[in-house]
PDB file of all heavy atoms in Angstrom:
ATOM      1  N   ALA A  45      11.195  -8.650  23.933  1.00 97.00           N
ATOM      2  CA  ALA A  45      11.331  -8.713  25.407  1.00 97.00           C
ATOM      3  C   ALA A  45      10.231  -9.509  26.025  1.00 97.00           C
ATOM      4  O   ALA A  45      10.440 -10.225  26.996  1.00 97.00           O
ATOM      5  CB  ALA A  45      11.278  -7.267  25.936  1.00 97.00           C
ATOM      6  N   ASP A  46       8.988  -9.434  25.470  1.00 95.00           N
ATOM      7  CA  ASP A  46       7.950 -10.180  25.993  1.00 95.00           C
ATOM      8  C   ASP A  46       8.194 -11.693  25.891  1.00 95.00           C
ATOM      9  O   ASP A  46       7.958 -12.498  26.766  1.00 95.00           O
ATOM     10  CB  ASP A  46       6.585  -9.869  25.268  1.00 95.00           C
ATOM     11  CG  ASP A  46       5.440 -10.595  25.875  1.00 95.00           C
ATOM     12  OD1 ASP A  46       5.100 -10.378  27.071  1.00 95.00           O
ATOM     13  OD2 ASP A  46       4.773 -11.414  25.116  1.00 95.00           O
ATOM     14  N   TYR A  47       8.745 -12.089  24.700  1.00 95.00           N
ATOM     15  CA  TYR A  47       8.945 -13.543  24.442  1.00 95.00           C
ATOM     16  C   TYR A  47      10.124 -14.023  25.226  1.00 95.00           C
ATOM     17  O   TYR A  47      10.033 -15.030  25.956  1.00 95.00           O
ATOM     18  CB  TYR A  47       9.134 -13.832  22.995  1.00 95.00           C
ATOM     19  CG  TYR A  47       9.291 -15.280  22.680  1.00 95.00           C
ATOM     20  CD1 TYR A  47       8.223 -16.116  22.719  1.00 95.00           C
ATOM     21  CD2 TYR A  47      10.552 -15.751  22.266  1.00 95.00           C
ATOM     22  CE1 TYR A  47       8.431 -17.501  22.471  1.00 95.00           C
ATOM     23  CE2 TYR A  47      10.758 -17.111  22.005  1.00 95.00           C
ATOM     24  CZ  TYR A  47       9.652 -17.956  22.045  1.00 95.00           C
ATOM     25  OH  TYR A  47       9.826 -19.267  21.780  1.00 95.00           O
ATOM     26  N   PHE A  48      11.285 -13.352  25.145  1.00 96.00           N
ATOM     27  CA  PHE A  48      12.505 -13.922  25.715  1.00 96.00           C
ATOM     28  C   PHE A  48      12.698 -13.576  27.182  1.00 96.00           C
ATOM     29  O   PHE A  48      13.260 -14.423  27.899  1.00 96.00           O
ATOM     30  CB  PHE A  48      13.736 -13.420  24.899  1.00 96.00           C
ATOM     31  CG  PHE A  48      13.840 -14.047  23.533  1.00 96.00           C
ATOM     32  CD1 PHE A  48      13.579 -13.332  22.415  1.00 96.00           C
ATOM     33  CD2 PHE A  48      14.155 -15.412  23.471  1.00 96.00           C
ATOM     34  CE1 PHE A  48      13.687 -13.947  21.207  1.00 96.00           C
ATOM     35  CE2 PHE A  48      14.286 -15.972  22.260  1.00 96.00           C
ATOM     36  CZ  PHE A  48      14.048 -15.259  21.076  1.00 96.00           C
ATOM     37  N   ILE A  49      12.300 -12.458  27.616  1.00 95.00           N
ATOM     38  CA  ILE A  49      12.581 -12.019  29.000  1.00 95.00           C
ATOM     39  C   ILE A  49      11.354 -12.334  29.918  1.00 95.00           C
ATOM     40  O   ILE A  49      11.529 -12.951  30.979  1.00 95.00           O
ATOM     41  CB  ILE A  49      12.925 -10.570  29.098  1.00 95.00           C
ATOM     42  CG1 ILE A  49      14.226 -10.336  28.321  1.00 95.00           C
ATOM     43  CG2 ILE A  49      13.096 -10.138  30.623  1.00 95.00           C
ATOM     44  CD1 ILE A  49      14.582  -8.875  28.146  1.00 95.00           C
ATOM     45  N   ILE A  50      10.166 -11.905  29.513  1.00 94.00           N
ATOM     46  CA  ILE A  50       8.995 -12.102  30.359  1.00 94.00           C
ATOM     47  C   ILE A  50       8.522 -13.553  30.350  1.00 94.00           C
ATOM     48  O   ILE A  50       8.201 -14.112  31.413  1.00 94.00           O
ATOM     49  CB  ILE A  50       7.856 -11.125  29.918  1.00 94.00           C
ATOM     50  CG1 ILE A  50       8.298  -9.730  29.955  1.00 94.00           C
ATOM     51  CG2 ILE A  50       6.581 -11.358  30.776  1.00 94.00           C
ATOM     52  CD1 ILE A  50       8.714  -9.200  31.262  1.00 94.00           C
ATOM     53  N   HIS A  51       8.412 -14.147  29.152  1.00 91.00           N
ATOM     54  CA  HIS A  51       7.935 -15.542  29.111  1.00 91.00           C
ATOM     55  C   HIS A  51       9.074 -16.583  29.004  1.00 91.00           C
ATOM     56  O   HIS A  51       8.809 -17.762  28.664  1.00 91.00           O
ATOM     57  CB  HIS A  51       6.934 -15.689  27.997  1.00 91.00           C
ATOM     58  CG  HIS A  51       5.638 -14.986  28.266  1.00 91.00           C
ATOM     59  ND1 HIS A  51       5.431 -13.701  27.742  1.00 91.00           N
ATOM     60  CD2 HIS A  51       4.612 -15.333  28.973  1.00 91.00           C
ATOM     61  CE1 HIS A  51       4.183 -13.374  28.133  1.00 91.00           C
ATOM     62  NE2 HIS A  51       3.682 -14.275  28.922  1.00 91.00           N
ATOM     63  N   HIS A  52      10.298 -16.197  29.081  1.00 92.00           N
ATOM     64  CA  HIS A  52      11.479 -17.050  29.075  1.00 92.00           C
ATOM     65  C   HIS A  52      11.560 -17.971  27.834  1.00 92.00           C
ATOM     66  O   HIS A  52      11.898 -19.168  27.926  1.00 92.00           O
ATOM     67  CB  HIS A  52      11.468 -17.897  30.320  1.00 92.00           C
ATOM     68  CG  HIS A  52      11.464 -17.116  31.574  1.00 92.00           C
ATOM     69  ND1 HIS A  52      12.552 -16.270  31.935  1.00 92.00           N
ATOM     70  CD2 HIS A  52      10.566 -16.899  32.532  1.00 92.00           C
ATOM     71  CE1 HIS A  52      12.284 -15.693  33.073  1.00 92.00           C
ATOM     72  NE2 HIS A  52      11.057 -16.044  33.436  1.00 92.00           N
ATOM     73  N   GLY A  53      11.110 -17.449  26.678  1.00 92.00           N
ATOM     74  CA  GLY A  53      11.336 -18.146  25.445  1.00 92.00           C
ATOM     75  C   GLY A  53      10.258 -19.165  25.085  1.00 92.00           C
ATOM     76  O   GLY A  53      10.469 -19.990  24.140  1.00 92.00           O
ATOM     77  N   SER A  54       9.130 -19.212  25.812  1.00 89.00           N
ATOM     78  CA  SER A  54       8.056 -20.134  25.435  1.00 89.00           C
ATOM     79  C   SER A  54       6.720 -19.556  25.868  1.00 89.00           C
ATOM     80  O   SER A  54       6.566 -19.087  26.965  1.00 89.00           O
ATOM     81  CB  SER A  54       8.333 -21.502  26.085  1.00 89.00           C
ATOM     82  OG  SER A  54       8.187 -21.384  27.483  1.00 89.00           O
ATOM     83  N   TYR A  55       5.790 -19.677  24.975  1.00 85.00           N
ATOM     84  CA  TYR A  55       4.418 -19.270  25.247  1.00 85.00           C
ATOM     85  C   TYR A  55       3.646 -20.611  25.477  1.00 85.00           C
ATOM     86  O   TYR A  55       3.976 -21.614  25.050  1.00 85.00           O
ATOM     87  CB  TYR A  55       3.787 -18.518  24.120  1.00 85.00           C
ATOM     88  CG  TYR A  55       4.229 -17.124  23.933  1.00 85.00           C
ATOM     89  CD1 TYR A  55       4.603 -16.621  22.641  1.00 85.00           C
ATOM     90  CD2 TYR A  55       4.253 -16.238  24.982  1.00 85.00           C
ATOM     91  CE1 TYR A  55       5.013 -15.322  22.493  1.00 85.00           C
ATOM     92  CE2 TYR A  55       4.650 -14.915  24.800  1.00 85.00           C
ATOM     93  CZ  TYR A  55       5.037 -14.452  23.568  1.00 85.00           C
ATOM     94  OH  TYR A  55       5.379 -13.205  23.421  1.00 85.00           O
ATOM     95  N   ALA A  56       2.543 -20.461  26.253  1.00 79.00           N
ATOM     96  CA  ALA A  56       1.644 -21.591  26.472  1.00 79.00           C
ATOM     97  C   ALA A  56       0.976 -21.957  25.142  1.00 79.00           C
ATOM     98  O   ALA A  56       0.768 -21.163  24.296  1.00 79.00           O
ATOM     99  CB  ALA A  56       0.664 -21.280  27.548  1.00 79.00           C
ATOM    100  N   ARG A  57       0.601 -23.174  25.062  1.00 83.00           N
ATOM    101  CA  ARG A  57      -0.197 -23.615  23.869  1.00 83.00           C
ATOM    102  C   ARG A  57      -1.539 -22.976  23.866  1.00 83.00           C
ATOM    103  O   ARG A  57      -2.138 -22.717  24.911  1.00 83.00           O
ATOM    104  CB  ARG A  57      -0.363 -25.168  23.824  1.00 83.00           C
ATOM    105  CG  ARG A  57       1.044 -25.866  23.699  1.00 83.00           C
ATOM    106  CD  ARG A  57       0.970 -27.297  23.431  1.00 83.00           C
ATOM    107  NE  ARG A  57       0.072 -27.709  22.379  1.00 83.00           N
ATOM    108  CZ  ARG A  57       0.443 -27.757  21.117  1.00 83.00           C
ATOM    109  NH1 ARG A  57       1.693 -27.444  20.781  1.00 83.00           N
ATOM    110  NH2 ARG A  57      -0.402 -28.162  20.181  1.00 83.00           N
ATOM    111  N   LEU A  58      -2.041 -22.678  22.710  1.00 81.00           N
ATOM    112  CA  LEU A  58      -3.303 -22.009  22.551  1.00 81.00           C
ATOM    113  C   LEU A  58      -4.551 -22.753  23.079  1.00 81.00           C
ATOM    114  O   LEU A  58      -5.522 -22.157  23.434  1.00 81.00           O
ATOM    115  CB  LEU A  58      -3.535 -21.544  21.070  1.00 81.00           C
ATOM    116  CG  LEU A  58      -2.643 -20.425  20.567  1.00 81.00           C
ATOM    117  CD1 LEU A  58      -2.965 -20.158  19.120  1.00 81.00           C
ATOM    118  CD2 LEU A  58      -2.877 -19.156  21.436  1.00 81.00           C
ATOM    119  N   GLU A  59      -4.402 -24.093  23.105  1.00 84.00           N
ATOM    120  CA  GLU A  59      -5.635 -24.909  23.479  1.00 84.00           C
ATOM    121  C   GLU A  59      -5.988 -24.611  24.967  1.00 84.00           C
ATOM    122  O   GLU A  59      -7.125 -24.578  25.305  1.00 84.00           O
ATOM    123  CB  GLU A  59      -5.369 -26.378  23.263  1.00 84.00           C
ATOM    124  CG  GLU A  59      -5.299 -26.768  21.827  1.00 84.00           C
ATOM    125  CD  GLU A  59      -3.931 -26.617  21.196  1.00 84.00           C
ATOM    126  OE1 GLU A  59      -2.929 -26.606  21.993  1.00 84.00           O
ATOM    127  OE2 GLU A  59      -3.824 -26.462  20.021  1.00 84.00           O
ATOM    128  N   GLY A  60      -4.964 -24.437  25.835  1.00 79.00           N
ATOM    129  CA  GLY A  60      -5.236 -24.334  27.228  1.00 79.00           C
ATOM    130  C   GLY A  60      -5.130 -22.913  27.717  1.00 79.00           C
ATOM    131  O   GLY A  60      -5.050 -22.734  28.952  1.00 79.00           O
ATOM    132  N   VAL A  61      -5.091 -21.908  26.905  1.00 79.00           N
ATOM    133  CA  VAL A  61      -4.890 -20.551  27.330  1.00 79.00           C
ATOM    134  C   VAL A  61      -6.196 -19.791  27.467  1.00 79.00           C
ATOM    135  O   VAL A  61      -7.013 -19.890  26.650  1.00 79.00           O
ATOM    136  CB  VAL A  61      -3.951 -19.820  26.361  1.00 79.00           C
ATOM    137  CG1 VAL A  61      -3.814 -18.372  26.708  1.00 79.00           C
ATOM    138  CG2 VAL A  61      -2.587 -20.451  26.330  1.00 79.00           C
ATOM    139  N   LYS A  62      -6.305 -19.145  28.598  1.00 81.00           N
ATOM    140  CA  LYS A  62      -7.442 -18.169  28.759  1.00 81.00           C
ATOM    141  C   LYS A  62      -6.893 -16.801  28.511  1.00 81.00           C
ATOM    142  O   LYS A  62      -6.014 -16.348  29.236  1.00 81.00           O
ATOM    143  CB  LYS A  62      -8.013 -18.296  30.167  1.00 81.00           C
ATOM    144  CG  LYS A  62      -9.145 -17.418  30.430  1.00 81.00           C
ATOM    145  CD  LYS A  62      -9.669 -17.548  31.883  1.00 81.00           C
ATOM    146  CE  LYS A  62     -10.816 -16.601  32.129  1.00 81.00           C
ATOM    147  NZ  LYS A  62     -10.400 -15.280  32.438  1.00 81.00           N
ATOM    148  N   PHE A  63      -7.439 -16.145  27.564  1.00 79.00           N
ATOM    149  CA  PHE A  63      -6.968 -14.773  27.257  1.00 79.00           C
ATOM    150  C   PHE A  63      -7.432 -13.736  28.212  1.00 79.00           C
ATOM    151  O   PHE A  63      -8.576 -13.834  28.699  1.00 79.00           O
ATOM    152  CB  PHE A  63      -7.325 -14.385  25.814  1.00 79.00           C
ATOM    153  CG  PHE A  63      -6.686 -15.158  24.779  1.00 79.00           C
ATOM    154  CD1 PHE A  63      -7.311 -16.242  24.162  1.00 79.00           C
ATOM    155  CD2 PHE A  63      -5.377 -14.939  24.453  1.00 79.00           C
ATOM    156  CE1 PHE A  63      -6.642 -16.950  23.185  1.00 79.00           C
ATOM    157  CE2 PHE A  63      -4.745 -15.691  23.460  1.00 79.00           C
ATOM    158  CZ  PHE A  63      -5.422 -16.718  22.826  1.00 79.00           C
ATOM    159  N   HIS A  64      -6.535 -12.849  28.604  1.00 76.00           N
ATOM    160  CA  HIS A  64      -6.828 -11.853  29.610  1.00 76.00           C
ATOM    161  C   HIS A  64      -7.359 -10.570  28.899  1.00 76.00           C
ATOM    162  O   HIS A  64      -7.421 -10.516  27.701  1.00 76.00           O
ATOM    163  CB  HIS A  64      -5.566 -11.490  30.420  1.00 76.00           C
ATOM    164  CG  HIS A  64      -4.983 -12.680  31.118  1.00 76.00           C
ATOM    165  ND1 HIS A  64      -5.545 -13.138  32.293  1.00 76.00           N
ATOM    166  CD2 HIS A  64      -3.916 -13.462  30.864  1.00 76.00           C
ATOM    167  CE1 HIS A  64      -4.805 -14.193  32.681  1.00 76.00           C
ATOM    168  NE2 HIS A  64      -3.870 -14.425  31.855  1.00 76.00           N
ATOM    169  N   ASN A  65      -7.753  -9.650  29.682  1.00 83.00           N
ATOM    170  CA  ASN A  65      -8.172  -8.368  29.220  1.00 83.00           C
ATOM    171  C   ASN A  65      -7.051  -7.646  28.545  1.00 83.00           C
ATOM    172  O   ASN A  65      -5.879  -8.072  28.536  1.00 83.00           O
ATOM    173  CB  ASN A  65      -8.743  -7.494  30.333  1.00 83.00           C
ATOM    174  CG  ASN A  65     -10.027  -8.149  30.873  1.00 83.00           C
ATOM    175  OD1 ASN A  65     -10.731  -8.891  30.151  1.00 83.00           O
ATOM    176  ND2 ASN A  65     -10.334  -7.804  32.106  1.00 83.00           N
ATOM    177  N   PHE A  66      -7.429  -6.497  27.966  1.00 87.00           N
ATOM    178  CA  PHE A  66      -6.420  -5.677  27.215  1.00 87.00           C
ATOM    179  C   PHE A  66      -5.249  -5.264  28.139  1.00 87.00           C
ATOM    180  O   PHE A  66      -5.539  -4.849  29.288  1.00 87.00           O
ATOM    181  CB  PHE A  66      -7.227  -4.456  26.711  1.00 87.00           C
ATOM    182  CG  PHE A  66      -6.392  -3.481  25.957  1.00 87.00           C
ATOM    183  CD1 PHE A  66      -5.987  -3.845  24.643  1.00 87.00           C
ATOM    184  CD2 PHE A  66      -5.917  -2.362  26.461  1.00 87.00           C
ATOM    185  CE1 PHE A  66      -5.215  -2.940  23.911  1.00 87.00           C
ATOM    186  CE2 PHE A  66      -5.167  -1.415  25.773  1.00 87.00           C
ATOM    187  CZ  PHE A  66      -4.784  -1.782  24.435  1.00 87.00           C
ATOM    188  N   ASN A  67      -4.077  -5.334  27.692  1.00 90.00           N
ATOM    189  CA  ASN A  67      -2.892  -4.991  28.463  1.00 90.00           C
ATOM    190  C   ASN A  67      -2.378  -3.633  27.934  1.00 90.00           C
ATOM    191  O   ASN A  67      -1.947  -3.508  26.828  1.00 90.00           O
ATOM    192  CB  ASN A  67      -1.812  -6.061  28.284  1.00 90.00           C
ATOM    193  CG  ASN A  67      -0.643  -5.832  29.202  1.00 90.00           C
ATOM    194  OD1 ASN A  67      -0.629  -4.881  30.060  1.00 90.00           O
ATOM    195  ND2 ASN A  67       0.346  -6.662  29.095  1.00 90.00           N
ATOM    196  N   ILE A  68      -2.355  -2.667  28.853  1.00 94.00           N
ATOM    197  CA  ILE A  68      -2.038  -1.253  28.420  1.00 94.00           C
ATOM    198  C   ILE A  68      -0.511  -1.030  28.480  1.00 94.00           C
ATOM    199  O   ILE A  68       0.053  -0.147  27.890  1.00 94.00           O
ATOM    200  CB  ILE A  68      -2.736  -0.221  29.310  1.00 94.00           C
ATOM    201  CG1 ILE A  68      -2.635   1.168  28.787  1.00 94.00           C
ATOM    202  CG2 ILE A  68      -2.274  -0.250  30.731  1.00 94.00           C
ATOM    203  CD1 ILE A  68      -3.409   1.373  27.545  1.00 94.00           C
ATOM    204  N   ILE A  69       0.215  -1.956  29.197  1.00 96.00           N
ATOM    205  CA  ILE A  69       1.665  -1.744  29.381  1.00 96.00           C
ATOM    206  C   ILE A  69       2.505  -1.647  28.081  1.00 96.00           C
ATOM    207  O   ILE A  69       3.366  -0.841  28.017  1.00 96.00           O
ATOM    208  CB  ILE A  69       2.201  -2.894  30.304  1.00 96.00           C
ATOM    209  CG1 ILE A  69       1.411  -2.769  31.588  1.00 96.00           C
ATOM    210  CG2 ILE A  69       3.673  -2.785  30.466  1.00 96.00           C
ATOM    211  CD1 ILE A  69       2.068  -2.858  32.871  1.00 96.00           C
TER     212      ILE A  69
END
Side-chain angles (χ1 to χ4, degrees):
D46 184 62
Y47 183 72
F48 287 110
I49 298 172
I50 302 299
H51 290 98
H52 305 291
S54 66
Y55 285 132
R57 296 190 51 87
L58 286 178
E59 291 86 22
V61 173
K62 179 181 180 277
F63 291 101
H64 300 284
N65 291 336
F66 183 75
N67 188 2
I68 194 72
I69 301 222

